[in-house]
Amino acid sequence: NEAFMKNMDILSEAKLRASYGFSGSQSIGIGATKERLSSTYSVANQSIVIGYQPSGMANPDLKWERTQVTNIGLDLGFLQKRINFSVEYYNKLTKNLLMSLPIPASSGYSSYNTNFGSVENKGIDLDIMGRILTGELQWNIRGNISFNRNKVLDLGELDMLLGGTWSAIDGQNLSVAMVGYPIGAFYGYRINGI
């Protein structure tokens, strides 16, 4: 509605958007910062006895993971908004990821809840919409495409973190998290063929 836009027949809307902020995830299991016990049954003196055993390793330093997001977008409308175009760039950085890391069973536990590593997601979203018919019969067409790049930035002292198993090949891990690669990258042997 600005005066300098009134005589422009082609461009009917131009809007620049930007945002920046932080958010957190508190997806920490109840009691994950405390030592936990679970009941167990055993036989003593030819009778069943209920006892208690440790069931979860405590981590009093456990905290929220933190995500920093930057977002910049541009919306354009042409020919009285009959053609609309939108492009958006985002960069999302998550630090202190909440993870349950596997640990040797000889410790008495199978995993340990901790804050660990950082991951980056960035990409571009493109959207285009056209209003072909605007009378009693209306016809709109719309298309979009998104590009996202995910990358592990830090794994602390670990070189890699294996995940995803397939029991058909004796529990072989199928994916890996390694610095510089996407989360869940396929991991396996290189072969020449069969």
Side-chain angles (χ1 to χ4, degrees), residues 10 12 19 29 37 52 62 74 82 87 89 97 106 123 129 133-134 140 151 157-158 163 176 180:
I10 296 176
S12 52
S19 65
L37 299 174
Y52 293 93
L62 207 56
L74 176 65
R82 290 192 64 163
V87 61
Y89 168 80
L97 292 161
S106 59
M129 192 268 287
L133 299 176
T134 59
N140 296 339
K151 184 165 56 169
E157 297 175 5
L158 292 179
V176 65

Side-chain angles (χ1 to χ4, degrees), residues 3-184:
F4 66 87
M5 291 287 292
K6 292 197 187 253
N7 294 326
M8 294 186 75
D9 295 331
I10 296 176
L11 185 64
S12 52
E13 179 181 64
K15 179 170 46 174
L16 182 65
R17 297 177 281 109
S19 65
Y20 175 80
F22 294 93
S23 65
S25 173
Q26 80 285 4
S27 298
I28 303 169
I30 295 173
T33 59
K34 306 290 182 198
E35 189 75 43
R36 297 181 304 276
L37 299 174
S38 63
S39 60
T40 184
Y41 299 95
S42 60
V43 177
N45 296 328
Q46 296 184 350
S47 61
I48 297 174
V49 178
I50 298 175
Y52 293 93
Q53 66 183 14
S55 65
M57 186 180 282
N59 183 354
D61 299 323
L62 207 56
K63 58 187 174 186
W64 286 26
E65 66 182 32
R66 181 177 164 128
T67 301
Q68 168 189 324
V69 181
T70 303
N71 192 309
I72 299 169
L74 176 65
D75 298 329
L76 297 173
F78 301 95
L79 304 173
Q80 302 301 315
K81 294 187 185 179
R82 290 192 64 163
I83 299 172
N84 296 290
F85 175 76
S86 175
V87 61
E88 192 160 337
Y89 168 80
Y90 61 90
N91 190 338
K92 178 180 174 183
L93 176 63
T94 304
K95 294 182 179 178
N96 296 319
L97 292 161
L98 288 168
M99 299 194 59
S100 180
L101 291 179
I103 57 175
S106 59
S107 69
Y109 305 96
S110 60
S111 63
Y112 177 65
N113 291 317
T114 187
N115 294 99
F116 184 79
S118 60
V119 174
E120 177 186 59
N121 283 282
K122 61 182 175 181
I124 295 175
D125 296 329
L126 302 169
D127 184 78
I128 190 164
M129 192 268 287
R131 296 185 301 150
I132 311 240
L133 299 176
T134 59
E136 289 186 24
L137 178 63
Q138 295 187 5
W139 179 20
N140 296 339
I141 189 167
R142 180 173 220 147
N144 62 46
I145 189 166
S146 296
F147 302 93
N148 182 63
R149 296 294 175 257
N150 170 272
K151 184 165 56 169
V152 176
L153 300 178
D154 178 33
L155 285 176
E157 297 175 5
L158 292 179
D159 294 329
M160 67 173 65
L161 185 62
L162 298 173
T165 58
W166 188 24
S167 59
I169 50 176
D170 297 326
Q172 163 110 16
N173 291 98
L174 297 177
S175 64
V176 65
M178 290 175 52
V179 173
Y181 292 92
I183 288 179

